């Protein structure tokens, strides 16, 4: 028969394990979100570069230094 101390230890191990799984899932979610954000940012910059290149070819682009 399992006494209350053993039961509590078992519950604590289960809770700690579950908490770690949830923590790892949250870290993964944040990592994936950051990778998607960086990809979107890179695609946006590439798009702006294409527009600049197209306008430069047409002679309409002027690079303004601030």
């Amino acid at each position: 028969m399992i006494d209350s101390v053993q039961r509590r230890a078992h519950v604590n191990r289960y809770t700690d394990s579950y908490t770690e799984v949830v923590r790892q899932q949250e870290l993964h979610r944040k990592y994936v979100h950051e990778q998607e954000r960086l990809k979107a940012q890179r695609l946006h910059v590439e798009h702006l570069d294409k527009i600049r290149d197209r306008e430069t070819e047409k002679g309409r682009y002027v690079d303004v230094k601030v």
Side-chain angles (χ1 to χ4, degrees):
M1 185 159 112
I2 298 177
D3 66 7
S4 63
V5 173
Q6 288 174 325
R7 178 180 295 283
R8 188 78 237 152
H10 174 75
V11 169
N12 286 344
R13 279 194 303 276
Y14 175 80
T15 302
D16 290 347
S17 177
Y18 178 78
T19 301
E20 181 61 20
V21 167
V22 170
R23 189 181 76 79
Q24 290 294 330
Q25 288 174 339
E26 181 64 15
L27 286 173
H28 180 71
R29 186 192 65 74
K30 287 179 180 178
Y31 172 79
V32 169
H33 178 74
E34 180 66 9
Q35 293 303 309
E36 290 172 350
R37 187 188 69 78
L38 291 171
K39 181 180 178 182
Q41 183 181 35
R42 188 183 74 247
L43 290 174
H44 181 68
V45 168
E46 288 173 0
H47 176 72
L48 293 177
D49 286 346
K50 286 179 184 176
I51 291 172
R52 184 195 63 222
D53 292 345
R54 187 171 54 238
E55 295 301 311
T56 299
E57 288 173 4
K58 294 177 183 177
R60 294 193 295 209
Y61 181 79
V62 178
D63 193 14
V64 177
K65 304 279 185 196
V66 178

